[in-house]
Amino acid sequence: MSTAQADPVSDDASHGEHGHDHDHPAFLAHHFDTPEQQFDSGKLGIWLFLVTEVLFFSGMFVAYAIFRNLRPDVFVGSSEFLNTKLGAINTGVLLFSSLTMAWAVRCSQTGEHKKLTGMLAATLSCSMVFLGVKAIEYSHKWGMGLLPAGTFFYDPANPHPTTDQLETLGFTSGTAFFLHNSLYFLCAPFLIVLLGVVAWLILSIVKGNKFQTACAMPLTIVCLSFFGGVGLGVILESGSEEGHGAAHDVAGHHGEGVAHSDAVPSVIDDGKVAAPALNDDASETSVLERLATDSTNTGLMSDVAARQAQASVASGAVVRGDDTNFEGGISEASANVLTQRQAGKFFSIYYCMTGVHAIHILGGIAVLVWLLIRSVRQDFNSRYFGPVDYVGLYWHLVDLIWIYLFPLLYLIR
Amino acid sequence: MFANAMNLLGDLTEDYAFFPEKASTFAQDNDWLFMFITWTSVLFFVPIAGCLVWFSFKYGKPKGGKAESDVSHNTPLELAWSILPSFVLVGMFVLGAKAYLDQRSVPDGANEIGIQAFKWGWTVDYGGGVYHPELHILKDEPVKLSMRSSDVIHSLYIPAFRAKKDIVPGRYNYMWFKPTVASEKVSDEELAKALKETKDLGEEWNFDERQFTPDGYRFYDLYCTEYCGTNHSEMQTVVVVHETLEDLNAWIKKYSARPDGTTPAEYGALLYDRRGCKSCHSIDGTKMVGPSFQNLYGRQEAMVTGESFLADENYIRESILYPKAKVVAGYQPVMPSYKGQLSDDDIYSIVEWMKSISSNAAGGAEEAAKTEE
Amino acid sequence: MSSGSIPPGSVVKDPGFPTKQENYLTNSKGILSWMFTLDHKRIGVMYLVGVSLAFLFAGILALLIRYHLMEPDGKLFKGANANNMYNQLFTLHGAVMVFLFIIPSIPAALGNFLVPVMLGAKDVAFPRLNLASFYLWCAGAIFFVAALFGTGLDTGWTFYTPYSTTTDTSVIAATMGAFILGFSSIFTGLNFIVTINTMRPPGMTWFRMPLFLWATYATSIIQVLATPVLGITLLLLIAERTLHIGIFDPEFNGDPVTYQHFFWFYSHPAVYIMILPAFGIISDLIAVHSHKRIFGYRFIAYSSIAIALLGFLVWGHHMFTAGMSPMTTIIFSALTFTVSVPSAIKVFNWLATMYKGSISLTTPMCFALAFIFLFTIGGLTGLHLGTLATDMHLHDTYFVVAHFHYVMVGGTLVAFLGGVFHWWPKMFGKMYSEAGGRLSSLIIFIGFNLTFLPQFVLGSRGMPRRYATYDPEFAYLHQMSTYGAMLLGIGLLTALVVLLHSLFRGKDAPANPWGAATLEWQCTSPPPFYNFERAPVVGDPYDFSKIEWDSENERYVTVEPERETVPEEKPAIQPAH
């Protein structure tokens, strides 16, 4: 921990000459006087870092509050599509990982090296299960088109479109293929890492390197946990298909509302409803038809109507809902919940919040792996356990954020 | 530069030294408040700057000199200079907030005018299908502007009225003011001369040079003050205040529809000037934000989708009403829709005018006929 | 010089000059010893070079802007692309100045060098994080350069939606750059807070800290609390551009005003990130060069913290015309007035410090005086903008441009230059030409006023900002401004020449050339790489009574009355621990 250009040798030598006028063990950085000062600095540093993290997320929580306040019905309606069971399992998994993390900190203080490695591996495994479940949740939604506002294409009549259908929606064939098979794309990096770790394990056993074996063994289990999470997700997601059916039904009713209230003729076949105006572009309605409806337009009728509406809403406030439809009251607005502009926004915020949270989990995994290797090296003891403590605090914060995200996103209906 | 500085000093004696003309009810209050704050600031600033200079010379000592005093603090004095200026600040705040509330509360019975802001121009909606880029209003009558933006944030600013308001897309924005000074009208001879000159030179009307509108009115500037892209600095128009209602109505009537005796093509050219087409579409083949209108009519246009369409009446009509339905390759889908803003006759006139500036109009029409067969 | 002699019968304390092995600049050699250094002083010097280059670049852009505005129709750029070129010019000028220069200038360049030395510590708390911040700064700068060489950037430095989500310029590269620079800034602030909290040597109590440290502490609080919000805002903006998440873009039912709230929640406190360290520098400069105890230490220290906290409550005053409800607008106006009080306190305190002092009109003092003059104008014209009714007229006009340049350039830049001139002998161990330094401060002062005073008049006459072309009636004010900008450029160039000249021809600087009492002047110039061999004895940072001018050696020294000392003896037996 000495500077590159400072000559630590002479520094240490001078300490030697002075007969260790103060204790300067190897783990103590040169610019600190005592281990306590180093620990306090690290602790204050990590707390400040957590403050910045809280403020980082607070931006998104504020965005959530603003838009939920503007369109409460959209949030409640779209939340139907989130699988509460999977969310609850993830909450439990993260809570348990917090426990193992706290236990790991305790182990590092008491110098129980084996147990510390075990606890860190347990924490890592939990985070992998979490990501596995998340991969299922994401890929399922991507396949159905429950995407951010710009790309949202969910159609209650056809919740699971094929790649060909996706291409007709204007996606390139590559994107369509990705959306349809997103689970494989999400799992691939983890599979590569798993294979790498297994190879490392075998190699280290063959070479008889005990340290590397001791590192690779828990990491193999950790990587396998991801696929445990995926398996869990697959079972629960397919088991809850009925629940989803209900959501589709709700959507279907909404769709019907659109069909009845909309003046544009819509296609109705065998009781099921195809909502025509889900995409703003409504490119199905041919241009000629629109021109035909406009041929009587002198600009006057629509203009007068628009101006009346404009005068009544001209309060300087945000225009709520779809501003192409001024007459719409709240009853009509609920019919528009499942549109790109509306539901898309809920999913935008959902992906932003859970996505940034998942990135934090990935970051946590990286530092936990680093800790795990150091714990195998038996770096930590009762006088030096700062890194474990700091990472523990960070991990608890990441859990805490999820504990807010879960009810705010999953449990609002 | 020296001459310029003298010029400025000379100007200071004039009324308009620090402000544009005072032409609305807000101007009087605002300028008074501005000068009040300025003089209060001067009252603080001159002693501070004076002390700064005086101390530096009075207490300037050679190196090693000792300070005459070693006082570390004086709490009553410090509290005094912290608290006393606060009263002045409260005064400024109250006066400012009061005047602001006046500016935000529209009086009953204000005339309402619609404003559409777009990249980079203005459309004023006088009702009854009358649109014009110039804002014409009546003296001593409060006006409420209901403003919308079709693309990005703009801001409507009339310095002479001391009034400004951002136009945020997705919202309705309003502002009001009451003009107090009517625009003068220049003499008919001068106007006729200017019109003739402009026509002879084949130029557009130059507001900056002429300082009156093509109808002969002096005007106030209207600016966009929220940065909105490439031609932000050219997003200007003019405000004309009419003395009497008759005068205003006569002006509106003049622009309400295609006047008798004007051919559709001539009127289309006027609309091209007036309705903001020219800020994005050239007529000399230059590529601007949108495709040039030169020889557009009757040409095959390649779309971003890879398809290709013949630019005929229907195509142009659709592009005006639903600009995003077919986007020409190489351009962004940024054009605002003119649905409800141009009457059928307007669109017809524009198409006729585009035919008149297209060399393949006749051939194009024949080709179109062929494909229909 | 009778007043400057050393009283007879006293002991002179002076650390002398560093040896080559001790000097932090020379104790190790090679480019790698700089690139991987963990020494806060070297990192500070690297920042100084980096921010100076950024300033040079953005300054040239500023001159180009002013040159273009010589004529109503634009002098520099002609033809169809002229407006676009101009827009890119002012956007890059603003973005580079704000993100790459002003925000890191004083805290990162001077702060990194000074905070540990002033504090009496060996280094900042996290030296590796410190180096990482510097490389993050470099990465951010590279993103900006990439934006420039990509399709440019024409959004204005504020990236307002929906323009920034619809323009086809390199918004993503630039926002990524700003995002990375944000983290550089967060880590620097975090480092300083921890350093000041835990690394103070015995005797360095909170109220014995120099005011520069108080100001840095207040700045760091803002950096840590406000910058993450910018980070998430920019991330959401990138998501808006790529995925159309519909939070800021009205086309997908988002709300552009929400973006403005998010953006200014950071960027208004960021204004105080820029100006607070300047206050700290000026407090120290005025006291040292007046050789008199700073007047009202606690008022100045507390007002720094007050500004930092109040700064979080006034962001709405950037949006008075943007569409908040009248009640919100009025509340923000009231809060804005409260933040002006602590700034005023400082100006009065500085004047009172000069009163009955012993003022040396050195180059740093000249800059400090210029700062007070210019900052007072900048602060007072803020009143016009905080008052709602007048802001309706002045918002987004040249009045605003002039106002914030008086604060950012007349304030921060002038204080930064004053600080650089003040600590230059400490940083590089060389004295510069005093005459040259004072001349540069005079040219800068005149050039600056000539540039920006006319802009106040332009603004109140109704000239909107960010205009590539303008109406002819504004022409001569614009021309005055352009001539002023050229003069300002000459002044800055003079300052650069004076400083660079000193590196090669300057006299070796004594440990304490100005007669300051803070700790950094108690080690050699330049400081040894370890700062202090043992924890220094901390005294009152503004007690100048024991500092005397040693005219023989042209240096200030600390004198103590002679007293008998116990003969130095080593105990025969080392005490056991």
Side-chain angles (χ1 to χ4, degrees), chain A residues 38 43 69 94-95 120 167 202 207 218 231 261 302 322 353 372 391 409:
Chain A
Q38 175 167 326
K43 194 95 171 188
N69 182 39
L94 277 193
L95 277 175
L120 290 175
E167 278 177 55
I202 294 169
K207 281 166 94 180
S261 64
S302 64
D322 199 339
M353 294 182 99
L372 188 125
V391 173
L409 293 170

Side-chain angles (χ1 to χ4, degrees), chain A residues 23-29 35 383:
Chain A
D23 197 8
H24 222 110
F27 58 76
L28 184 60
R383 295 190 61 201

